[in-house]
């Protein structure tokens, strides 16, 4: 029986990086049969042999209920509910790959944080474009470093869905009164947007700290970051309250202030003069904010929304602007009301 006294409905997690593995551990720890699919057979073999993801989550043993599946069709057939946790630049590709294997009763969630590469679309639009509007969908987003979640340290997150039944069942399965709180939020647009754009702001906070600026500057970036994400959200129909919750404020505080964040670490290196390719190589994992900066900037332009921090990170990453000049531009903006 599961920790929540429901029948142990299985779940399949697609994407065996640090976060997919951590979420699979969370489900299986609650007693649900959990199938974790990774696209690299060699990586899957290591996970199966070692019963841990030594590369990303060292020394955290897999619960017995967690099984590794390297055949995508089999992984999809094992469960009605699929949770996709791959980087945003391959999200559309993975949706296209799963499409031929779906049954009409499948339900699809994702924990990927980002906008689609090149189009800047929200991932919900990508899913609906490929799969139509009939599948129940959900997005999981909030301040959750994979290592802490996998280690069972206290964590809270938001879950938004277009289907109330799916939301409640999904929440019941991953929520755990001992260490994982899952808050429902009906605002899919806002939850997706906060999770995507906080990566850009985390890069800016890293740049600021890397340049030797202090807590005042970091806090200003977090606060004005929320302001600009909220403006973009309003233009897309999000609920403004969402940006004060887990998926935006929560994740901004986490990733702008703690060096577990890859986006923040990437920014720290940029602020210290390291070039972006070397910084990405040094991190060796997905840095969602890198391409998402461009997509967020272009989305803001299309929406006619002013996003000065995003624009300056874009100028630094893609137009060669120096961090010192970025700081001068942001500090020298016209006087205005809050
Ligand atoms: N690591 C964390 O603490 C958190 C990560 N996330 C989000 O989760 C998503 C995944 O990130 P991580 O797991 O951290 O990345 P990661 O860098 O740890 O792993 C990425 C995984 O994606 C796999 N992958 C690459 N191309 C693929 C493809 N075409 N098909 C299937 N799999 C492919 C890689 O093999 C690798 O296992 C990102 O959007 C990230 O923002 C969200 C919250 C926390
Ligand atoms: O989204 C995250 C935590 O909520 C992980 O942040 P990074 O991708 O910056 O490591």
């Amino acid at each position: 029986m599961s920790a929540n006294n429901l029948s142990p409905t299985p779940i399949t997690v697609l994407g065996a990086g640090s976060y997919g593995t951590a979420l699979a551990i969370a489900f299986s720890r609650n007693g649900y049969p959990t199938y974790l699919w990774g696209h690299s057979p060699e990586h899957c073999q290591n996970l199966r042999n070692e019963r841990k993801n030594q590369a990303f989550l060292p020394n955290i043993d897999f619960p017995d209920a967690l099984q590794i599946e390297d055949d995508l069709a089999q992984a999809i057939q094992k469960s009605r509910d699929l949770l996709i946790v791959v980087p945003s630049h391959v999200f559309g590709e993975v949706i296209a790959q799963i499409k031929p294997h779906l049954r009409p009763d499948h339900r699809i969630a994702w924990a990927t944080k980002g906008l689609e590469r090149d189009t800047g679309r929200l991932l919900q639009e990508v899913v609906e474009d490929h799969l139509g509007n009939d599948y129940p969908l959900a997005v999981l987003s909030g301040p959750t470093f994979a290592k802490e979640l996998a280690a069972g340290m206290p964590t809270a997150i938001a879950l938004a869905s277009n289907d109330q039944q799916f939301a409640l069942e999904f929440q019941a399965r991953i929520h755990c009164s001992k260490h994982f709180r899952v808050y429902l939020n009906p605002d899919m647009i806002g939850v997706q947007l906060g999770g995507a754009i906080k990566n850009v702001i985390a890069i800016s906070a890293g740049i600021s700290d890397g340049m030797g600026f202090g807590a005042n500057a970091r806090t200003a970036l977090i606060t004005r970051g929320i302001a600009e994400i909220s403006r973009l959200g309003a233009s897309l129909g999000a609920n403004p309250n969402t940006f004060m919750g887990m998926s935006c404020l929560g994740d901004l505080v986490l990733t702008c202030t703690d060096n577990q964040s890859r986006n923040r670490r990437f920014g720290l290196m940029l602020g210290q003069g390291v070039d972006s390719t070397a910084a990405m190589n040094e991190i060796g994992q997905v840095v969602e904010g890198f391409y998402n900066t461009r997509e967020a900037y272009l989305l803001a332009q299309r929406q006619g929304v002013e996003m000065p921090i995003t624009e300056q990170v874009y100028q630094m990453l893609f137009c060669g602007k120096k961090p010192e000049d970025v700081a001068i531009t942001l500090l020298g903006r016209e006087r205005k009301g809050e």
Side-chain angles (χ1 to χ4, degrees):
M1 229 23 200
S2 74
N4 297 300
N5 286 331
L6 294 174
S7 63
T9 319
I11 180 143
T12 290
V13 178
L14 303 173
S18 50
Y19 198 42
T21 307
L23 286 166
I25 289 172
F27 278 106
S28 52
R29 202 182 265 144
N30 277 358
Y32 294 95
T34 305
Y35 300 94
L36 177 62
W37 170 84
H39 74 144
S40 153
E42 192 189 341
H43 180 51
C44 286
Q45 194 57 45
N46 288 338
L47 299 182
R48 199 179 285 114
N49 290 345
E50 296 174 4
R51 296 292 304 161
K52 56 180 76 131
N53 190 333
Q54 197 58 27
F56 293 135
L57 305 169
N59 305 323
I60 298 179
D61 292 327
F62 290 168
D64 291 343
L66 175 49
Q67 297 301 320
I68 306 304
E69 182 55 77
D70 50 16
D71 183 284
L72 181 62
Q74 288 286 328
I76 293 169
Q77 290 319 310
K78 291 259 166 69
S79 315
R80 179 183 181 203
D81 294 336
L82 309 177
L83 174 61
I84 301 168
V85 199
V86 298
S88 61
H89 67 272
V90 297
F91 188 84
E93 190 184 306
V94 169
I95 294 290
Q97 271 178 278
I98 70 172
K99 184 177 177 177
H101 307 292
L102 291 178
R103 299 186 306 260
D105 71 331
H106 266 116
R107 302 187 292 191
I108 298 163
W110 60 94
T112 302
K113 291 177 181 169
L115 303 169
E116 186 182 43
R117 174 86 63 92
D118 297 330
T119 68
R121 292 189 297 181
L122 290 174
L123 301 184
Q124 182 179 0
E125 294 175 68
V126 179
V127 176
E128 289 174 346
D129 188 26
H130 283 272
L131 306 179
N133 297 317
D134 292 339
Y135 291 103
L137 305 178
V139 55
L140 197 58
S141 192
T144 49
F145 285 132
K147 277 189 185 151
E148 294 190 10
L149 176 65
M153 296 167 83
T155 299
I157 201 165
L159 174 69
S161 176
N162 61 3
D163 183 293
Q164 183 70 357
Q165 188 62 28
F166 185 29
L168 289 170
E169 288 178 27
F170 199 97
Q171 180 194 37
R173 277 193 276 160
I174 197 164
H175 188 99
C176 164
S177 54
K178 290 194 188 125
H179 36 70
F180 197 23
R181 287 191 65 74
V182 181
Y183 292 92
L184 295 187
N185 183 329
D187 179 12
M188 283 193 82
I189 295 176
V191 168
Q192 291 176 91
L193 206 59
I197 315 243
K198 66 86 190 170
N199 292 323
V200 180
I201 307 300
I203 292 177
S204 79
I207 294 169
S208 174
D209 284 354
M211 292 171 71
F213 295 161
N216 294 354
R218 188 188 317 125
T219 307
L221 287 164
I222 293 172
T223 311
R224 295 310 300 168
I226 295 173
E228 66 182 57
I229 298 172
S230 302
R231 281 198 295 273
L232 183 62
S235 81
L236 292 166
N239 179 343
N241 294 333
T242 300
F243 302 110
M244 291 298 137
M246 288 295 162
S247 58
C248 187
L249 172 60
D251 220 347
L252 275 172
V253 172
L254 185 87
T255 47
C256 290
T257 64
D258 192 288
N259 285 350
Q260 286 177 78
S261 165
R262 298 157 297 189
N263 288 287
R264 175 179 155 78
R265 289 206 307 275
F266 177 68
L268 276 171
M269 283 188 257
L270 297 184
Q272 290 159 353
V274 178
D275 74 67
S276 55
T277 309
M280 297 267 269
N281 289 340
E282 169 74 22
I283 289 166
Q285 275 186 277
V286 66
V287 179
E288 285 286 16
F290 179 65
Y291 289 107
N292 271 280
T293 294
R294 185 186 59 202
E295 309 316 348
Y297 168 70
L298 294 174
L299 177 60
Q301 298 267 300
R302 288 198 295 278
Q303 293 297 117
V305 171
E306 203 182 16
M307 296 187 72
I309 302 170
T310 301
E311 178 171 351
Q312 290 308 309
V313 178
Y314 170 81
Q315 292 279 341
M316 239 189 98
L317 292 180
F318 297 101
C319 309
K321 192 163 176 176
K322 299 269 171 270
E324 298 73 22
D325 295 331
V326 161
I328 289 167
T329 303
L330 284 174
L331 288 164
R333 280 165 49 80
E334 77 283 10
R335 282 170 286 172
K336 58 188 284 202
E338 191 175 21

